[in-house]
Amino acid sequence: MALSKGPHCSFVLLAEFDIDSGAQLTYQFPQPLGADEGLLANLMLPDGAERHLEDWTIFFLNQTPFNTIAPVLALETTESNGDQSNDGESRPELIYVLNLVRTKHDKTARRGAVVKAMAICTRHPFIQIFKPVLLLALDDYFANPSQDCLARLFDAINSMDISGAPVLTRYERFIMRASERKDIFAEKFASAKIPDSSLNLSGSHNMQTKLQHKTTSSTGSHSSEDGILIRGRNPYNDGVRERSMTEGSTTSAQQQQPHPSSPSDSSFSLGGSAVWVGDESVILDSQVGVAIGGGPGSVTSGTSTLASRGRRSTDASSSSSHGFSKEHNAYSGAIPTTSDPHLRSGISKDTHFFQTSIAYKGHQLPIKLPLATFPEEVGDYSLIQLIQTFSTQIVTVSGPLHPHLHTNGSLTHPIIILFNALVTGKRILFLGHNIPAGQVANYVLSACALGSGCGAILRGFIERAFPYAGLAGGEDWVNTPAYIAGVTNPIFETSGSWDLLMDIGTGRVVVHRDIHTSFPPTITPPAIAPLVSRTGTIRAEGSAASEEDIARIATRDGKESSQKSDFAAKPDSLDNLFIEDLISAITSHFGETLVRMRFTEYVARFVRLASRYEEVAAGSTKLGYSSAPFVDGSLGSGIVFPDEAAAFKELAANASRIEGWRRSKSYQYCTIDFRKHQATNAIQGFDLLHQLSRLRLVKNLSDGEVELIVRSIAENVQSYEQVVELLAYMPPHAGGLQPLSFCLFHQQESVREATLDIFNELRSHPVGVIFLQGLNHFQRYAYVRQAHARELRVKENSSQLIPPPLFTSRTPSNRSEVSLSGL
Amino acid sequence: MSFFSSVLVWFSSIFFAKAAEISVVGLQASGKTSFVNVIGSGQWSEDVVPTVSFNYRKVRKGAVTFKIWDVAGQPKFRSMWERYCNGVDAVVFVVDSADQEKFDTVRFELHQLLAQPSLTGVPLLVLGNKNDVASHASVKDLIRELELDKIQGRPVSCYSCSMKSQHNLDIVLRWLAERSH
């Protein structure tokens, strides 16, 4: 998607500060952009550039009529951009400009210094990867100023080879960004095959490391990660027998005949980590098998947790007596592992990136191309930095309260004010006087990511973002509605027209005093009234809370908001708790990934909440599935609240900003996107997220609903695309597969069976295996045990050719049913 | 004694605090940044790195806090002067009085700026800088060359001064302090 955009670098620019005439654009390569040269030069030489030795700035082209480029020779793909034409828009594609400006103090030069800047114009949003080569090129230009430097840079960048980079779908990106595994989607790096690794797996005759995700299940060619491996009882017989269970049950059964095995004495390996079943005498033998077949990292860690917890009763490992240290030695030794093929050298140590290089003047500059970014994520922004800057003690919030912005009255956290301003389309100005323009630009880019849920949920922020803006070019950008701009010039505070000012240097958050005239809060409290009036209908839908309860809450909320003009500030509002949670996560050194995931989640929830609000206020929604409860035979949909009272509270608290958002462009984009996704999603026909939320949140879920949920998922998760979509909604930080895995312990046979179906399907894809490995041992054991039982059953069936009555005589499951129902 | 006076200054700054916002404009290399440096920190240097776009400083002199916009003077920045002069208490126009060849340009730019409707009535101070150079133009010459007598509707002053020797700087500061409020 992002990779098919024509040349990596569309233009290279060079600007200089001329002592006699000012900022001037010296070179444009390979051809003039057709945009105003003065504007470009002034953007490349930011205000106060002479006070910083080096500064990176970022700006975009093709946003306003004034900064739209019109090259003499049309660029290859400018017009034929499929992504945008879908939206019914004909605006040219955004061009991202990464600029490096440097001030060299030089006593020999007139007036003591030389200021030069070089910029790369590209269509890739991940502009940060070009920083090293731009540094070298500008150095070059300082040493030897000529247009050749630009040509060299242009050619070097455009000869970068990223043809081998895997292109991920939307849901694959979700999974990748949520996963911290460095081998996630390793199978996508499909180019090289490693023949020796399959040789190392002794006796695995059908163990091809075929790295395609759509493996042919009929021939049973799965990589060892894919399957549950069954090891024969007697490992001395012919080494270790490993076989993928999914390779077709009949063959498996027949080959198993000479070595009859039972679940009690086999060990299962699930993608490198093993679960032991059976008596201890077998374990020692089986360890050999693991040492050969297992991945090192996961097993070692897994075993050690086992040992430390001593959960003998559940996994019956008790390996302590049999040389635990030996086991460790085996793992740490040079043992070929299943994950090896994916960690091949030269391609990537971390599959989140595609490693390539740019050859520049004999240097091979390593380039790490991020694979899971969305177009709304430009550069290497940092949400942590943004949150930290505006969460310190010195941060002051001033200006009038506005219902769109102050969703929690005077206690609204600055970051939430910023988020509200972003989604409700306020004009936001980041001011960093005496701060390098590059830093200011990063705040703008972070804000865009904040508003869009890290590019995953909403869009339309980057197109109105001006990471670095100045007075040049007639301040064209100021007239852009709902701009998000970064400036270093304090003149904009007094003269600019903005709605929210975020001063980075002093930590001031200022709401413009005229905000009520530029954004009249017309229908505040907008949704409360319809909410109260519609309480009846909602109540009729059958909720868990008692009727009086709801009525009381609804009217109380209504009263509150009408009396106190809904600026009631609660220190324990959901948003405040969310931000507190984030800050404590940051202070305990959780990474940027987690913060991003949390915000993606937050924005996703906001959209679903807005969808519900729309239903309540307007009767129908264009944002998502309309909410419906579970009724016999049909699944529910829409946002899930712990209970109805919480729903009303949250809707009332969010009403104003949702109203504001509904008038913004990102809302329109969101409705378009929802329609598009609904048409193209692999899992069709029901609201998947609703079902998973029900499993996660709701207490006392009825058996009927659980069964229907699990069965629907099982029926709709049959292909790779569907597996990926399901997993995308189950990120590791939210517990991974946990909500589903609990269904393995459900008292109803059919629920357990359907869950088994889902997990079996997951297991046949490498990415699914990674998620299964994320389960804890108890859950994993439950799965392996039941899967094995089923396999045995199938085996018996085929050997006896007598179909046993369905759902009978399955000791392990029955036993668990007894124990569960006994509780 | 000096301690006593500094305490007095401190008290007066509390009780009689005043502020003035000033824009410093003029052609490139006429000494605008030098002027700000000299009244800000008393330091003068031969080579000042040319200002890119603008420079914003807060300088306190006695009871008066000056907010000074020091704007770049190259032709490409001159169109922005108006933005920086809009709403200030005084415009300081620095002229290199030793560079008489540029007086035509200076006159054109000065009158161009003053013709902006947003700047009506804003006091103007013209500084004939670099009067330590022998060939500098006198105040009289400046008034004639720059046609300062034709400016109407605003207080206009013109001093000959030097940032290098700090000649006449006290008068300039007094003039600026009078614009404070």
Side-chain angles (χ1 to χ4, degrees):
Chain A
M1 203 158 80
L3 308 176
S4 57
K5 285 193 170 180
H8 305 314
C9 173
S10 309
F11 301 98
V12 179
L13 305 174
L14 192 116
E16 282 171 291
F17 187 83
D18 187 288
I19 294 169
D20 295 317
S21 66
Q24 73 172 39
L25 200 61
T26 314
Y27 294 115
Q28 307 181 59
F29 189 85
Q31 54 163 325
L33 269 70
D36 184 73
E37 294 191 10
L39 172 75
L40 292 173
N42 275 305
L43 287 171
M44 290 175 69
L45 300 165
D47 298 343
E50 82 280 3
R51 289 193 298 276
H52 306 287
L53 290 181
E54 190 177 284
D55 196 358
W56 296 94
T57 64
I58 293 164
F59 56 93
F60 307 146
L61 297 173
N62 284 346
Q63 290 173 296
T64 67
F66 200 69
N67 74 12
T68 295
I69 63 165
V72 185
L73 304 167
L75 301 166
E76 296 90 316
T77 53
T78 310
E79 305 308 326
S80 64
N81 180 21
D83 286 357
Q84 305 240 334
S85 58
N86 282 348
D87 310 341
E89 289 200 27
S90 57
R91 72 193 300 170
E93 196 181 355
L94 219 60
I95 288 187
Y96 311 95
V97 186
L98 175 73
N99 174 61
L100 173 63
V101 54
R102 193 173 277 174
T103 303
K104 256 205 176 127
H105 291 272
D106 182 356
K107 288 287 164 221
T108 61
R110 214 174 116 213
R111 298 196 63 181
V114 186
V115 185
K116 291 184 200 298
M118 198 183 263
I120 294 172
C121 310
T122 173
R123 289 203 189 81
H124 295 311
F126 34 82
I127 46 180
Q128 71 274 14
I129 63 168
F130 299 120
K131 280 185 174 181
V133 69
L134 188 55
L135 273 170
L136 284 184
L138 186 59
D139 266 346
D140 241 21
Y141 186 85
F142 265 103
N144 182 16
S146 79
Q147 198 171 358
D148 296 347
C149 296
L150 281 76
R152 234 183 343 254
L153 176 66
F154 184 84
D155 291 340
I157 292 180
N158 281 327
S159 58
M160 176 177 79
D161 179 23
I162 56 171
S163 56
V167 180
L168 302 182
T169 64
R170 189 172 118 90
Y171 289 110
E172 283 170 340
R173 286 173 201 221
F174 281 147
I175 293 175
M176 176 173 275
R177 55 176 48 218
S179 171
E180 303 209 321
R181 290 273 300 244
K182 287 188 174 9
D183 58 346
I184 188 102
F185 287 122
E187 69 276 9
K188 291 272 178 183
F189 293 78
S191 51
K193 284 196 177 185
I194 301 297
D196 14 351
S197 70
S198 60
L199 291 177
N200 287 329
L201 298 166
S202 58
S204 57
H205 52 279
N206 50 12
M207 210 60 73
Q208 305 166 20
T209 26
K210 193 174 179 188
L211 298 168
Q212 292 288 317
H213 54 76
K214 280 179 184 153
T215 44
T216 48
S217 55
S218 54
T219 55
S221 61
H222 284 270
S223 76
S224 58
E225 278 197 21
D226 293 355
I228 288 185
L229 303 176
I230 305 165
R231 297 196 180 83
R233 176 187 187 122
N234 190 351
Y236 305 114
N237 205 4
D238 54 351
V240 181
R241 299 170 48 90
E242 292 180 343
R243 194 173 300 111
S244 167
M245 197 183 98
T246 48
E247 70 188 7
S249 43
T250 42
T251 43
S252 153
Q254 278 153 12
Q255 287 175 352
Q256 203 73 25
Q257 289 290 333
H259 305 283
S261 63
S262 70
S264 62
D265 60 1
S266 292
S267 72
F268 288 72
S269 146
L270 189 64
S273 50
V275 179
W276 308 111
V277 190
D279 54 20
E280 296 189 11
S281 63
V282 190
I283 287 165
L284 190 62
D285 304 335
S286 311
Q287 275 167 4
V288 183
V290 170
I292 291 170
S298 48
V299 179
T300 319
S301 64
T303 326
S304 54
T305 45
L306 278 186
S308 63
R309 285 187 192 163
R311 296 291 293 271
R312 202 177 277 230
S313 55
T314 47
D315 50 33
S317 84
S318 68
S319 51
S320 52
S321 59
H322 297 287
F324 191 58
S325 59
K326 174 188 152 195
E327 213 172 55
H328 270 292
N329 288 341
Y331 298 141
S332 56
I335 287 159
T337 63
T338 46
S339 43
D340 249 352
H342 310 316
L343 300 176
R344 68 185 64 86
S345 60
I347 298 258
S348 193
K349 290 190 183 72
D350 181 351
T351 53
H352 290 78
F353 300 96
F354 176 76
Q355 291 200 330
T356 179
S357 63
I358 292 179
Y360 182 80
K361 281 188 105 180
H363 302 285
Q364 285 290 329
L365 301 167
I367 300 292
K368 281 171 84 185
L369 191 75
L371 292 175
T373 52
F374 288 103
E376 289 284 320
E377 299 177 287
V378 179
D380 42 3
Y381 65 94
S382 162
L383 288 187
I384 289 184
Q385 188 192 35
L386 177 67
I387 293 170
Q388 280 181 328
T389 307
F390 290 103
S391 300
T392 56
Q393 293 299 318
I394 60 160
V395 172
T396 56
V397 181
S398 55
L401 297 183
H402 191 280
H404 286 177
L405 302 179
H406 299 82
T407 42
N408 191 26
S410 54
L411 287 178
T412 316
H413 191 275
I415 292 293
I416 296 296
I417 296 181
L418 174 64
F419 173 76
N420 294 341
L422 283 163
V423 293
T424 57
K426 303 287 176 284
R427 291 165 297 178
I428 301 166
L429 199 62
F430 280 89
L431 169 65
H433 181 225
N434 282 340
I435 289 174
Q439 275 188 35
V440 179
N442 268 335
Y443 279 93
V444 174
L445 298 175
S446 306
C448 289
L450 189 84
S452 61
C454 298
I457 311 295
L458 300 177
R459 64 194 169 93
F461 295 93
I462 287 294
E463 66 186 25
R464 52 189 163 98
F466 300 85
Y468 172 73
L471 278 175
E475 295 159 75
D476 200 25
W477 56 273
V478 173
N479 301 317
T480 307
Y483 65 74
I484 309 152
V487 296
T488 54
N489 194 336
I491 199 168
F492 289 108
E493 181 174 354
T494 48
S495 70
S497 45
W498 43 267
D499 301 311
L500 180 68
L501 177 84
M502 309 283 286
D503 188 333
I504 301 161
T506 58
R508 282 181 310 141
V509 177
V510 187
V511 178
H512 201 275
R513 58 177 180 275
D514 297 336
I515 187 146
H516 284 281
T517 45
S518 20
F519 290 94
T522 40
I523 33 170
T524 40
I528 311 298
L531 212 136
V532 176
S533 68
R534 290 185 133 255
T535 311
T537 54
I538 291 165
R539 224 189 301 151
E541 282 168 2
S543 59
S546 81
E547 298 193 357
E548 295 114 281
D549 229 23
I550 299 166
R552 203 186 62 231
I553 284 157
T555 47
R556 194 192 62 205
D557 279 1
K559 254 186 251 155
E560 232 173 47
S561 46
S562 54
Q563 282 169 359
K564 298 202 288 179
S565 70
D566 73 357
F567 284 127
K570 299 188 205 87
D572 62 339
S573 79
L574 281 180
D575 284 345
N576 285 32
L577 294 181
F578 169 69
I579 293 287
E580 269 167 37
D581 201 27
L582 272 189
I583 292 171
S584 70
I586 293 170
T587 44
S588 34
H589 301 288
F590 279 92
E592 174 81 12
T593 313
L594 180 94
V595 177
R596 290 186 187 185
M597 290 314 298
R598 292 296 308 273
F599 242 100
T600 308
E601 225 171 52
Y602 178 81
V603 179
R605 185 172 162 78
F606 171 75
V607 171
R608 287 180 84 82
L609 192 68
S611 164
R612 174 67 184 272
Y613 168 85
E614 237 180 16
E615 274 185 277
V616 173
S620 68
T621 177
K622 285 182 271 175
L623 285 171
Y625 292 93
S626 55
S627 14
F630 167 78
V631 191
D632 244 3
S634 69
L635 290 167
S637 55
I639 189 170
V640 177
F641 295 103
D643 55 66
E644 283 296 315
F648 283 117
K649 256 191 218 163
E650 223 183 322
L651 280 177
N654 282 280
S656 310
R657 65 173 171 186
I658 292 173
E659 271 301 327
W661 180 54
R662 289 182 66 202
R663 281 172 241 160
S664 75
K665 204 160 185 190
S666 77
Y667 168 80
Q668 288 165 16
Y669 285 138
C670 191
T671 57
I672 294 168
D673 287 350
F674 174 69
R675 236 177 300 145
K676 206 161 69 185
H677 294 150
Q678 218 179 9
T680 57
N681 274 351
I683 297 181
Q684 291 277 351
F686 63 100
D687 185 356
L688 178 61
L689 190 54
H690 174 91
Q691 317 312 335
L692 296 176
S693 310
R694 294 287 290 178
L695 291 179
R696 279 196 189 108
L697 293 175
V698 178
K699 293 167 198 153
N700 304 324
L701 209 57
S702 73
D703 288 351
E705 183 170 3
V706 177
E707 188 185 347
L708 189 59
I709 289 174
V710 180
R711 203 146 39 77
S712 307
I713 295 178
E715 278 163 12
N716 282 284
V717 177
Q718 307 276 351
S719 69
Y720 172 75
E721 285 74 21
Q722 290 170 332
V723 165
V724 165
E725 192 176 325
L726 173 69
L727 295 178
Y729 287 120
M730 312 193 89
H733 70 95
L737 290 174
Q738 223 160 36
L740 275 180
S741 73
F742 285 128
C743 296
L744 287 171
F745 308 107
H746 198 270
Q747 53 185 333
Q748 282 191 11
E749 185 84 56
S750 53
V751 172
R752 294 199 300 268
E753 282 300 311
T755 314
L756 206 54
D757 288 338
I758 300 172
F759 279 24
N760 278 342
E761 179 60 32
L762 294 184
R763 200 194 56 209
S764 63
H765 304 280
V767 60
V769 171
I770 286 180
F771 271 74
L772 287 172
Q773 286 169 354
L775 291 173
N776 68 32
H777 280 259
F778 182 60
Q779 295 159 331
R780 220 188 297 179
Y781 172 70
Y783 166 52
V784 169
R785 174 173 51 77
Q786 295 182 34
H788 188 88
R790 178 191 278 190
E791 196 217 18
L792 271 186
R793 214 159 60 228
V794 172
K795 224 183 300 167
E796 280 160 19
N797 289 355
S798 55
S799 59
Q800 297 166 3
L801 293 169
I802 303 164
L806 216 58
F807 300 150
T808 51
S809 71
R810 281 181 236 155
T811 31
S813 353
N814 285 348
R815 212 185 295 147
S816 65
E817 183 181 343
V818 169
S819 64
L820 273 176
S821 55
L823 283 173
Chain B
M1 186 61 198
S2 70
F3 171 75
F4 182 73
S5 68
S6 68
V7 168
L8 200 71
V9 165
W10 182 67
F11 269 109
S12 64
S13 73
I14 288 175
F15 293 112
F16 309 105
K18 289 180 168 185
E21 199 168 340
I22 296 163
S23 274
V24 183
V25 295
L27 302 197
Q28 70 273 14
S30 55
K32 298 175 295 300
T33 305
S34 290
F35 170 66
V36 178
N37 285 347
V38 168
I39 64 168
S41 52
Q43 283 173 342
W44 184 86
S45 63
E46 186 73 43
D47 264 334
V48 178
V49 176
T51 307
V52 177
S53 190
F54 82 100
N55 209 329
Y56 177 73
R57 289 269 293 268
K58 276 186 189 172
V59 174
R60 211 163 85 182
K61 283 281 168 193
V64 186
T65 306
F66 294 107
K67 290 180 192 166
I68 306 174
W69 296 92
D70 166 23
V71 190
Q74 282 78 5
K76 288 183 177 166
F77 293 110
R78 290 176 197 162
S79 59
M80 294 180 214
W81 285 357
E82 184 269 332
R83 279 302 305 272
Y84 291 99
C85 295
N86 193 350
V88 295
D89 300 306
V91 172
V92 177
F93 199 102
V94 184
V95 184
D96 180 352
S97 61
D99 191 355
Q100 309 214 2
E101 284 171 18
K102 287 212 181 110
F103 280 0
D104 282 344
T105 320
V106 173
R107 186 180 60 243
F108 174 79
E109 294 293 346
L110 176 64
H111 287 272
Q112 182 93 350
L113 178 68
L114 296 180
Q116 299 282 352
S118 56
L119 302 187
T120 327
V122 178
L124 173 73
L125 174 64
V126 178
L127 294 183
N129 191 18
K130 309 194 185 177
N131 72 3
D132 52 296
V133 181
S135 63
H136 75 271
S138 68
V139 172
K140 237 177 210 160
D141 294 341
L142 279 174
I143 292 174
R144 193 187 62 245
E145 286 287 335
L146 305 182
E147 299 179 355
L148 298 182
D149 46 344
K150 290 188 180 169
I151 299 170
Q152 282 169 352
R154 72 180 83 229
V156 183
S157 302
C158 180
Y159 298 119
S160 179
C161 63
S162 164
M163 298 309 143
K164 189 176 182 179
S165 65
Q166 308 210 353
H167 176 242
N168 268 351
L169 214 62
D170 45 344
I171 313 176
V172 171
L173 275 174
R174 210 175 307 142
W175 188 92
L176 290 175
E178 280 165 17
R179 308 297 136 199
S180 65
H181 49 81

